[in-house]
């Protein structure tokens, strides 16, 4: 059976970045902490610290007990973001990226020509060498390859650290027997309990269960998918969550300039970001669309680590804006922005710390003021000049959530 999917996961990401940029930390047990405080937890640990049992979530006091020599390093979110961007561009130089899954993890479809173990291994060597070259020799990764994304993720976990691990269909199910139920994506504490309630305590029992049994335990289609994934089949879960949030705007005559459209985009992003936060979502991508008087249209998108932070959205927009053609003959008459790759807030993990806690306080305060005193009571300066105009609805077929525009 073909190896269709590849998952790449950087090893001990935050800790490795710290060791890469600070040679004195290399080869030493270190842990990254969000703030200097005895009551905080480690958000990452180096492979040297892992040997002592210090891992993500270990409290600082316990980390010191387990490893008296441990060095605690305060986190540098903007540095991690920079390495994340270098990671994704290094990866993209080797293979197209299907999705960025988190700050240190990405998913790729293997092209047909690379779906055999030997070819996949050669590609993985190339990816590893490129990452070493572009990010530094202390940033290592583990690559998992399998017939589907679910198994590729497991393979990347099983190959850690600095590994390459293949799960072929012929390896199933025995290659999974050493795992615990909780190692499987989609089996959290509650699902583990439900499985146990139905007599499934181990992975061999899980892989031997019938599709009907799993369907029953999951209470729906999720169980069917788990069964197919465990067989090495490709099946995608139907979208169950809201996919995009966006706004669009026909420009009033006064704003049909490059500066005008820029300021409208700022306002639309601020408005959509507030809505995103209210709905309890994070976004990991932004599309901007500009329609011109001569019917030419421009659109571009950018992906980033999931966030709710207006500052980061506006920064991402400025990156897109630099790609907008400078031609003076282009007269914009409508624009729209859309956040995509939405993730429910409770499913978002460590990259949360990329948001400066002061930003969070600030935009929460901005949201509260706008809610109490009316929209645009307070706003980020980029929107200045576009606030007095009431948006009109426009049917952009390219922006799928037009019904939410307001
Ligand atoms: Mg990782």
């Amino acid at each position: 059976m073909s190896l269709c999917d590849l998952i790449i996961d950087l090893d001990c990401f935050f800790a490795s970045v710290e060791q890469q940029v600070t040679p004195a930390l290399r080869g030493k047990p270190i842990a990254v902490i969000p703030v200097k405080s005895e009551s905080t937890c480690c958000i990452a640990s180096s492979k040297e610290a892992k040997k002592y049992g210090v891992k993500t979530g270990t409290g600082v006091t316990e980390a010191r007990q387990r490893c008296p020599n441990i060095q605690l390093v305060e986190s540098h979110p903007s540095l991690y973001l920079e390495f994340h961007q270098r990671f994704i561009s290094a990866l993209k130089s080797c293979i197209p990226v299907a999705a960025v899954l988190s700050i240190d993890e990405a998913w790729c479809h293997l092209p047909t020509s690379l779906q055999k173990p030997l070819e996949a291994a050669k590609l993985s060597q190339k990816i590893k060498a490129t990452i070493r070259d572009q990010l530094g020799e202390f940033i290592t990764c583990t690559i998992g390859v399998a017939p589907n994304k679910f198994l590729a993720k497991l393979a990347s976990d099983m190959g850690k650290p600095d590994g390459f691990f293949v799960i072929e269909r012929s390896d199933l199910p025995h290659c999974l027997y050493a795992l615990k139920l909780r190692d499987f994506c989609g089996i959290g504490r509650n699902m583990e309990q439900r499985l146990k309630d139905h007599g499934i305590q181990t992975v061999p029992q899980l892989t031997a269960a019938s599709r009907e049994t799993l369907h029953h335990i999951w209470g729906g289609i999720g169980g069917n998918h788990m069964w197919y994934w465990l067989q090495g089949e490709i099946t995608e879960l139907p979208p169950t969550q809201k996919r995009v949030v966006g706004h669009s705007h026909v420009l009033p005559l006064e704003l049909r300039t490059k500066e005008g459209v820029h300021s409208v985009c700022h306002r639309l992003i601020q408005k959509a970001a507030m809505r995103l936060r209210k709905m309890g979502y994070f976004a990991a991508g932004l599309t901007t669309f500009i329609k011109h008087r001569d019917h030419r249209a421009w659109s571009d998108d950018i992906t980033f680590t999931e966030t709710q932070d207006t500052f980061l959205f506006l920064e991402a927009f400025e990156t897109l804006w630099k790609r907008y053609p400078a031609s003076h003959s282009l007269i914009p008459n409508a624009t729209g922005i859309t956040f995509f790759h939405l993730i429910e807030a409770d499913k978002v993990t460590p990259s949360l710390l990329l948001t400066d806690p002061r930003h969070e306080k600030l935009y929460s305060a901005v949201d509260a003021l706008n809610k109490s005193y009316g929209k645009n009571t307070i706003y980020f300066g980029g929107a200045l000049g576009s606030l007095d105009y009431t948006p009109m609805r426009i049917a952009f077929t390219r922006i799928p959530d037009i019904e939410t525009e307001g």
Side-chain angles (χ1 to χ4, degrees):
M1 180 65 186
S2 302
L3 300 166
C4 297
D5 290 282
L6 177 151
I7 297 272
I8 173 165
D9 188 2
L10 300 180
D11 303 322
C12 316
F13 179 52
F14 301 152
S16 303
V17 171
E18 296 295 343
Q19 290 179 318
Q20 181 63 43
V21 299
T22 310
L25 299 175
R26 294 174 185 175
K28 304 221 168 97
I30 71 159
V32 178
I33 51 173
V35 280
K36 278 218 168 87
S37 153
E38 278 309 302
S39 60
T40 194
C41 293
C42 302
I43 53 172
S45 56
S46 66
K47 57 178 186 295
E48 298 82 4
K50 283 200 164 79
K51 286 183 196 148
Y52 293 87
V54 178
K55 48 191 184 186
T56 304
T58 305
V60 164
T61 314
E62 189 189 336
R64 284 215 186 85
Q65 283 163 358
R66 286 178 175 271
C67 177
N69 294 332
I70 197 157
Q71 295 197 44
L72 300 172
V73 183
E74 222 173 324
S75 72
H76 296 96
S78 54
L79 187 66
Y80 310 147
L81 189 55
E82 186 201 317
F83 272 79
H84 164 76
Q85 283 157 349
R86 283 160 63 186
F87 159 51
I88 298 302
S89 63
L91 183 58
K92 280 183 176 169
S93 73
C94 301
I95 182 173
V97 173
V100 173
L101 302 178
S102 72
I103 192 162
D104 68 340
E105 195 179 23
W107 167 41
C108 308
H109 297 301
L110 286 178
T112 319
S113 60
L114 302 178
Q115 292 184 352
K116 296 223 165 69
L118 192 63
E119 277 69 31
K122 280 188 203 153
L123 171 69
S124 294
Q125 276 170 6
K126 182 178 164 195
I127 293 171
K128 280 168 166 280
T130 310
I131 286 176
R132 203 179 308 121
D133 185 52
Q134 308 280 316
L135 278 76
E137 60 178 316
F138 286 83
I139 311 289
T140 60
C141 64
T142 298
I143 294 175
V145 171
N148 61 39
K149 179 186 169 196
F150 174 85
L151 293 171
K153 167 75 185 137
L154 279 177
S156 76
D157 293 338
M158 290 160 83
K160 287 212 152 285
D162 199 9
F164 168 66
F165 199 91
V166 178
I167 295 179
E168 285 194 86
R169 207 166 176 185
S170 55
D171 300 330
L172 295 168
H174 56 271
C175 72
L176 306 175
Y177 285 176
L179 298 172
K180 295 195 273 300
L181 292 174
R182 288 288 294 278
D183 293 332
F184 289 65
C185 188
I187 303 186
R189 200 184 314 139
N190 292 341
M191 185 51 72
E192 184 187 31
Q193 191 54 51
R194 262 157 72 182
L195 286 162
K196 284 185 175 162
D197 293 345
H198 286 82
I200 296 179
Q201 314 255 5
T202 65
V203 172
Q205 288 168 339
L206 177 73
T207 54
S210 71
R211 185 158 59 91
E212 292 70 24
T213 303
L214 297 190
H215 184 100
H216 173 69
I217 296 172
W218 257 261
I221 193 109
N224 285 24
H225 285 284
M226 179 60 74
W227 186 84
Y228 282 116
W229 288 331
L230 293 170
Q231 313 296 311
E233 299 285 348
I234 299 171
T235 152
E236 287 289 324
L237 274 176
T240 54
Q241 59 187 31
K242 184 151 182 55
R243 293 331 257 309
V244 295
V245 164
H247 288 296
S248 56
H249 189 22
V250 175
L251 300 170
L253 287 176
E254 298 85 337
L255 295 177
R256 295 187 177 187
T257 59
K258 203 169 173 191
E259 297 71 33
V261 72
H262 180 266
S263 108
V264 169
C265 286
H266 264 249
R267 186 166 62 77
L268 297 179
I269 287 169
Q270 293 179 36
K271 193 170 146 189
M274 184 174 165
R275 221 170 102 227
L276 192 75
R277 293 191 286 269
K278 203 171 148 211
M279 289 160 48
Y281 281 96
F282 281 57
L286 170 70
T287 301
T288 301
F289 177 88
I290 299 173
K291 206 171 150 190
H292 303 96
R293 197 171 63 181
D294 61 4
H295 302 301
R296 273 188 288 170
W298 171 85
S299 80
D300 205 344
D301 54 64
I302 185 168
T303 56
F304 35 80
T305 306
E306 63 272 16
T307 183
Q308 286 188 314
D309 187 339
T310 302
F311 287 94
L312 297 180
F313 291 140
L314 293 175
E315 256 177 55
F317 170 70
E318 291 302 329
T319 307
L320 280 181
W321 184 249
K322 288 194 187 107
R323 301 184 205 152
Y324 179 57
S327 163
H328 291 294
S329 66
L330 286 173
I331 312 234
N333 61 7
T335 187
I337 64 96
T338 303
F339 291 126
F340 60 96
H341 288 343
L342 301 196
I343 303 154
E344 288 160 48
D346 58 3
K347 293 194 178 133
V348 173
T349 39
S351 47
L352 251 179
L353 34 103
L354 285 171
T355 292
D356 184 327
R358 290 170 308 174
H359 288 192
E360 200 179 332
K361 274 192 191 150
L362 182 59
Y363 60 65
S364 303
V366 168
D367 288 355
L369 283 168
N370 285 333
K371 203 173 153 207
S372 302
Y373 298 101
K375 64 175 185 174
N376 302 329
T377 299
I378 188 164
Y379 53 87
F380 292 81
L384 188 65
S386 70
L387 301 167
D388 300 334
Y389 300 95
T390 315
M392 288 164 60
R393 287 175 184 276
I394 179 172
F396 278 152
T397 50
R398 302 274 305 266
I399 299 179
D401 72 328
I402 192 72
E403 79 280 1
T404 62
E405 186 234 345

